[in-house]
Amino acid sequence: VGLKSTTPTVACALSNTLPALTFVMAAVLKMETVRLGTPSGQAKVLGTVVCVGGSMIMPFYKGPLLKVWASPMHWRYAEHATDATTLPSGNAAIVGDVLIILSCVAWAVWFILQSKMSERFSAPYTSTTIMSLMAGVQCAGISVVMDRSVSAWKLGFDIRLYAALYVGVVGSGIAFAVMSWCIQSRGPLFVSMFSPLMLVVVAVVGWAILEEKIHVGRYLPSVLPSSSLGCIWCFGARGGR
């Protein structure tokens, strides 16, 4: 609902607040050592600020268009896709931004809970199965309340079926199992710090499949923090543990 009420660019930018939210929660719960007086603590804080600050530039600065070669993987579906003629504005855009931020808060809470749960139940595949089953039941109930038409539940051999399979198999099954394993191994903050790389993947896949244009201001503010963030945070993690 938040994505529908705002623009994709703003939604991606706001989702990059996830590392900062996770960092604050982990620090408050004493799951991460900060120690601002030490180089390691300063590195963690600097990494979070660089990550979030760089990502926040995207909604306000588009920048020049990068001239890159045409993609050989262009997907024909993109030719029939319709672009939105109007962008959300006013109260609708504000509601969308708030919902995206709340979803990031919920995601950060999941990172924290997953870290605590792995201490007593170190079975990422089982926990992912249980979580996906519960999410499926909840989404089915919400869908019935929001849209009771039978046509909304029909799936053919088209983009709706492919999207549902991808989200279910890759986006939920594989992704959450891998994240659960990583959280168990390295902790919640380490995993959340790599969320800004989503924009890098979006830029590459969007250009390759949908022939989307790449603007410097839209992706560079996220690419630079993402590439430097790993070095900054790993330095802080080594010195602080």
Side-chain angles (χ1 to χ4, degrees), residues 77-95:
Y77 171 78
E79 298 178 356
H80 305 287
T82 57
D83 296 329
T85 55
T86 58
L87 295 176
S89 59
N91 294 334
I94 295 176
V95 171

Side-chain angles (χ1 to χ4, degrees), residues 163-195:
L165 289 176
Y166 181 83
V167 172
V169 176
V170 180
S172 295
I174 297 177
F176 279 104
V178 172
M179 282 192 294
S180 299
W181 175 81
C182 291
I183 291 173
Q184 181 181 342
S185 301
R186 299 301 301 269
L189 184 57
F190 183 86
V191 178
S192 68
M193 282 296 183
F194 289 90
S195 61

Side-chain angles (χ1 to χ4, degrees), residues 139-211:
C139 289
I142 295 175
S143 300
V144 171
V145 174
M146 299 298 294
D147 193 345
R148 300 183 181 182
S149 61
V150 179
S151 59
W153 295 82
K154 292 182 179 179
L155 290 175
F157 289 96
D158 53 16
I159 183 60
R160 294 180 63 185
L161 175 62
Y162 304 146
L165 289 176
Y166 181 83
V167 172
V169 176
V170 180
S172 295
I174 297 177
F176 279 104
V178 172
M179 282 192 294
S180 299
W181 175 81
C182 291
I183 291 173
Q184 181 181 342
S185 301
R186 299 301 301 269
L189 184 57
F190 183 86
V191 178
S192 68
M193 282 296 183
F194 289 90
S195 61
L197 288 175
M198 174 180 62
L199 283 173
V200 181
V201 178
V202 168
V204 175
V205 176
W207 162 79
I209 297 180
L210 301 179
E211 287 191 343

